[in-house]
Amino acid sequence: MLDWFLGEAHLSILKAFAFLVPPGKGAGVGQPISGKEVGIGAGKLFEMLDSIFSGDASKHDFEIVFNHSATGEQYNECRRLFVEFTADATVENGLKIAQRLQNVSDHRSGLGLLFLISGTNGLRRRMVVSRFPTDQAVLAEVNEKGLNVEFLEQVFIKRLSSYKAVCLQHESPVNGFWKAMATDRQAGQSGEHISEYWLKEFLDADFSETPAAGTRRLAVALRKALKAHPNIDVKSELAHASSLASAIFTDKTISIEGFCEYFALSQSAKDAVRAQLSKSSLFGKNFKFDPEEFKVVAPFRTVEMSNGAILTAPNDEFENVFSEHKADNGIVTYSTVGRINDQRLARK
């Protein structure tokens, strides 16, 4: 979570615009984009825009950074358009952003309602870009004068809980605006399926947390929690989740908190993992899961039995290699089938 969302006293919208953006990727000449400035003040539409503009970052949001150019220069075309719009919020400058979105939107993303909001947060300039899905039938409701407020409210209210958004904030947008907070509520409440066209193509950005760093933090926290916690039930929860991680989360965006919630870990197990982090805020930080990095940190899973037996297998294969059968008295039976490849004597 970026510190710009915390402790600010006053937020104010200066300008807001709406654009109806038909898909244009692979369509040759794109359909016309209808745009309109949204009145600042009372009304349902403004109230809803204000709620997004003024909202704090949540665990469903993630930090992104805008990419530099292919040659390594500190230049990003989408960021440049955002800076220009913040400096001069007009329909013309907003249309350039809408056209960029149209160029990367295909029939799968469909028709979208794009909102551009410029304002202030204390001494900082804030810009929010938000896209809501709609359907092709609404085009018939747009008259020759463009969008009308009633139409916008109808579409906006219908899709209020399903949208993509990015928020930028800095005292000097021309020098800042390299980091932002983004969300994709169309992808679900976790952002694990964040649309590639929105993040990679439209924004030309990436997660600020590298996949390797985020995954390593998760793996290390699990490994340390398993070693430190005295309760065997908690250890079993964490070991089971660890074994299934690669099969479930490969190339998906998660947080350590989301990992714990997915496996419905007990509060004790969650606390054990959280206790291994250097900062509690890292518990909710999003990253793309890297299965190879996870294997580097936690390659094997080992179970020590009360009878002296030690069972070891690759972490992500353990539950396929060994079948576990539990009895009511707490006794566990493990079984496996295979050929003997080697035998050795070793220190415990």
Side-chain angles (χ1 to χ4, degrees), residues 29-243:
V29 179
Q31 300 179 55
I33 298 173
S34 300
K36 178 182 179 64
E37 182 170 358
V38 178
I40 304 301
K44 291 181 180 180
L45 178 60
F46 176 76
E47 290 175 4
M48 287 183 285
L49 289 176
D50 188 56
S51 69
I52 293 179
F53 180 81
S54 304
D56 290 335
S58 75
K59 65 181 182 181
H60 306 306
D61 304 329
F62 44 91
E63 185 178 304
I64 64 170
V65 291
F66 288 94
N67 296 321
H68 288 187
S69 69
T71 60
E73 296 177 292
Q74 195 172 9
Y75 177 82
N76 180 288
E77 178 63 16
C78 185
R79 173 191 173 275
R80 181 187 70 81
L81 295 177
F82 289 167
V83 171
E84 287 185 356
F85 179 82
T86 303
D88 185 18
T90 63
V91 171
E92 290 73 23
N93 282 337
L95 183 60
K96 297 175 185 177
I97 298 173
Q99 288 170 336
R100 178 179 175 85
L101 178 62
Q102 182 180 49
N103 291 338
V104 300
S105 301
D106 59 19
H107 67 280
R108 291 172 298 177
S109 50
L111 184 67
L113 188 56
L114 178 70
F115 288 98
L116 305 177
I117 314 171
S118 177
T120 59
N121 185 3
L123 297 177
R124 305 176 184 183
R125 294 300 305 270
R126 173 179 281 204
M127 178 181 178
V128 171
V129 181
S130 186
R131 180 195 184 277
F132 289 77
T134 182
D135 55 73
Q136 298 292 343
V138 301
L139 282 173
E141 299 187 35
V142 182
N143 58 37
E144 65 277 3
K145 295 182 179 179
L147 301 173
N148 60 69
V149 173
E150 291 76 17
F151 165 78
L152 291 175
E153 289 188 0
Q154 177 186 350
V155 176
F156 194 83
I157 292 172
K158 182 180 178 182
R159 299 287 190 170
L160 181 58
S161 62
S162 180
Y163 63 90
K164 307 178 193 300
V166 60
C167 178
L168 306 97
Q169 184 166 276
H170 201 274
E171 295 89 344
S172 174
V174 70
N175 297 317
F177 274 23
W178 282 103
K179 290 185 178 182
M181 291 298 289
T183 192
D184 189 346
R185 301 300 174 89
Q186 288 175 255
Q189 292 300 303
S190 67
E192 70 178 30
H193 296 294
I194 174 71
S195 297
E196 288 287 311
Y197 88 90
W198 176 255
L199 179 64
K200 304 288 188 179
E201 298 182 54
F202 173 57
L203 296 174
D204 188 14
D206 210 337
F207 301 107
S208 64
E209 178 75 286
T210 65
T215 304
R216 172 172 287 272
R217 183 181 297 117
L218 167 63
V220 169
L222 287 169
R223 189 182 65 191
K224 289 183 176 180
L226 268 164
K227 182 178 180 179
H229 207 282
N231 187 285
I232 193 64
D233 291 332
V234 170
K235 288 178 179 287
S236 296
E237 286 186 73
L238 297 176
H240 173 73
S242 175
S243 293

